Structures are given as C-alpha cells and as structure tokens.
Amino acid sequence: MISSNVKGYIFGLTTSITFGLIPLFTLPLMNNGMTFGSILLYRFLFASIALGIMMKIKKEKFAINKSEIAFLILLGLLYTGSAMFLFMGYGLMGAGIATTIHFTYPVFVTLIMLSFFKEKPTWVTWLAIILAVLGVAKLSIKGEGMHVDVYGIFIVVISAICYAAYITIVNKSRMKNKGSRKLAFYVFIVSTILFAIKGGCESEIQSIPDPMSVTNLILLAIVPTVVSNITLVMAVRNIGGTKTSILGAMEPVTAVFIGAFIFGEKITMGDIAGIAMILIAVTMIIMTNTIKNSISNVVKRIRPRHA
C-alpha cells in the first residue's frame, strides 16, 4: 500500500514535469505567429472541454453549491493572474530573470502558511527553497544581460504571489476536498472567460492557423494543463502546499531537457549546476524527516554528557 506521502511526492513531481512540457507545444505555435493571448485562451478553452468530457465519462456531477462559487472564481482569478502577469513580465525584462523571480513562489507559500496558519517551516525546508531558487536562476539566466525593470519585477512578484495564494487556498480551504477534476474544470472556465474578455478588448484573438497547431493546442491543454493541475490538487491534498511548491522547481529542469533533446539547445555546465541544485532541493524535501532524524542522532552522540 503506497503511503499518502509517497503519493503526494509522485503527484507533485508529475505536476512539475508536465508543466515543464509547455515549451514543447507553445514554441511551434509561436513560430506559426500565434500570440500569447490567443495561445492561453485556446489552452484553457480546450482544457475546459477535455475536463468536461472526462467528467461526463466518469459520471461526475457538475453541480456546485452557491457558497463555493466565490471560492472558484477567486481560484480562477489567481490562476489566470499568475499566467497573465508572468507573460507581461516576459515583455518587460529577460525571460530568464522573470522566470527566476516567479519561482520564488515557494517562499510566498511558506510565508503565507506561517503568517495565517502558524505552520513553522523547518530549516530543511528553507534550505531546500534557497537551493531550488538558486538552481532555477542558474538554469534561467543565460547571457541575456541583467536588464531589470522595476515595474517588471513588481508584475512578476504579483505572478508569484497569485500562484502561491492559489496553492495555499487549495491546500487550506474546503475546496481541497472537492474532486480534483471538478475544481480544475471551474478554474479553467473562469480562466477561459477572462482571457476571452481580455483578447476581445485588445482585438488579439487569432484563428488557429493549421491542423498541426490544433494538435499542439490540444496537447498543451491536456498534458501541461489538465494533467498537471489535477495532480497539483492531489499533491497538495497529500503533502501540503509548501512541499508541492518546492517540487515545482523540476519544471525548468524538464524544460531544459526538452530544449536540448527536441530543439537542439546546448546544455551548459551552468545548466548542470542548476539541475544539481534543484535535484538536491527536491531530495531534501522528500527526505526531510530522515535528514532531521539523522542530524538529531549525530548531535546526540557528539553532545558532551553531563553528570
């Protein structure tokens, strides 16, 4: 019988790895001339349709209580805000710097849990967060100069806070006990509506250029959207928001390997160092109790005995 902790770590790693597949489907779409706004709209629209079909097949109920509507809208706003503000940040500063700032969201998850729920993180957790952020920085910032826009930093920090708040609410509200598919379905519905409104106001909604683009959009909707969000909810349910957020550092690692093996990008020594830091951070989170117990035993053995 697999323990809930093991399940949580598996779901958390699945979430981050599938999220890391986003470039595999978005780069061909961008090369075909599609804008971020259109890609995000179709991504969440197709994800909503896919989840609706899955729920129908599983004979799951779509009904929700009136008291849950506000929570679902809030979750949709936070999830949409995270994606939108991050892409806005990409337009204001280097993508690597923006990605690094966004991946400080485990810090915000930890601070929210400490401030509002009095959940004090261990030193292992803080060390894992630092290593994960440094690893992401090593992977993301590559010779693009250190052009930093203050407004851009503010925007991307909002993106990180939105995602941290999304994870925390899923973790601590009664929505955690809802079916993961139903929760994701309504979050995606809200995201689709918001991106449709934004695209309509800015006149940037494009038609899908060709059948291959349709395929990429469907895969983008299913793999790094439907699968990753369902497993995110299940990971949070089993191991909590802080550990799930730190496991998210595997996302850029996956993106690096996709870039190397699919798009022919070179893996540098800096990349290897970044990957090593992230793997150490993930290992520390998975083995937190073992590390704490081992160090505690060593300290007890070397501590001077007093009569």
Side-chain angles (χ1 to χ4, degrees):
M1 190 93 174
I2 301 177
S3 69
S4 61
N5 267 358
V6 173
K7 287 180 182 177
Y9 294 130
I10 292 172
F11 288 136
L13 289 171
T14 302
T15 296
S16 59
I17 290 170
T18 51
F19 261 132
L21 295 175
I22 288 177
L24 180 62
F25 309 116
T26 54
L27 289 178
L29 293 168
M30 291 167 61
N31 291 336
N32 252 357
M34 292 194 71
T35 62
F36 281 129
S38 293
I39 292 171
L40 289 170
L41 171 59
Y42 288 120
R43 175 191 179 188
F44 291 114
L45 174 62
F46 290 169
S48 301
I49 294 170
L51 273 171
I53 293 171
M54 289 171 66
M55 289 173 68
K56 269 289 187 185
I57 292 172
K58 294 285 186 179
K59 297 181 179 179
E60 296 179 18
K61 294 181 180 179
F62 288 84
I64 54 174
N65 299 325
K66 288 183 180 179
S67 60
E68 296 170 344
I69 294 174
F71 272 110
L72 291 168
I73 291 175
L74 175 61
L75 287 173
L77 286 169
L78 289 171
Y79 194 83
T80 305
S82 178
M84 185 176 68
F85 287 125
L86 178 58
F87 283 117
M88 287 175 63
Y90 287 156
L92 295 168
M93 64 174 73
I97 298 172
T99 300
T100 301
I101 295 171
H102 175 74
F103 269 89
T104 59
Y105 70 81
V107 176
F108 292 110
V109 171
T110 304
L111 292 176
I112 292 171
M113 297 296 284
L114 176 61
S115 301
F116 293 96
F117 303 102
K118 308 303 178 186
E119 291 192 8
K120 192 174 180 181
T122 66
W123 65 267
V124 178
T125 299
W126 280 119
L127 184 56
I129 289 173
I130 293 169
L131 279 172
V133 173
L134 289 175
V136 170
K138 201 74 175 171
L139 290 178
S140 303
I141 303 174
K142 300 178 181 179
E144 51 185 278
M146 289 300 292
H147 167 66
V148 177
D149 184 286
V150 174
Y151 178 64
I153 292 175
F154 176 72
I155 288 296
V156 181
V157 166
I158 292 177
S159 167
I161 293 173
C162 283
Y163 196 55
Y166 175 81
I167 290 174
T168 306
I169 291 174
V170 170
N171 182 23
K172 286 299 181 180
S173 75
R174 60 181 178 273
M175 300 310 299
K176 181 173 73 171
N177 299 319
K178 288 291 171 186
S180 54
R181 280 185 288 267
K182 181 188 285 190
L183 177 58
F185 174 75
Y186 283 106
V187 168
F188 294 160
I189 289 288
V190 174
S191 296
T192 301
I193 293 170
L194 291 173
F195 280 116
I197 293 171
K198 180 179 180 295
C201 291
E202 297 177 358
S203 301
E204 66 170 11
I205 299 177
Q206 301 167 295
S207 58
I208 304 175
D210 54 44
M212 192 61 205
S213 294
V214 174
T215 301
N216 279 318
L217 283 168
I218 291 173
L219 291 172
L220 177 65
I222 292 174
V223 182
T225 309
V226 171
V227 173
S228 59
N229 278 274
I230 288 174
T231 53
L232 173 67
V233 175
M234 296 171 79
V236 168
R237 190 177 294 165
N238 283 279
I239 59 174
T242 301
K243 289 182 179 180
T244 300
S245 65
I246 297 171
L247 293 177
M250 286 298 293
E251 178 185 336
V253 175
T254 306
V256 166
F257 283 116
I258 291 295
F261 295 112
I262 304 298
F263 300 109
E265 297 175 1
K266 185 180 178 181
I267 296 180
T268 65
M269 290 303 295
D271 292 333
I272 294 172
I275 290 169
M277 289 179 192
I278 290 170
L279 290 177
I280 292 170
V282 169
T283 303
M284 287 176 67
I285 285 300
I286 293 173
M287 301 184 67
T288 296
N289 291 333
T290 303
I291 293 171
K292 285 169 59 182
N293 292 336
S294 298
I295 292 179
S296 177
N297 289 334
V298 170
V299 170
K300 286 178 182 178
R301 289 179 181 179
I302 63 176
R303 183 184 296 163
R305 294 172 182 261
H306 298 284

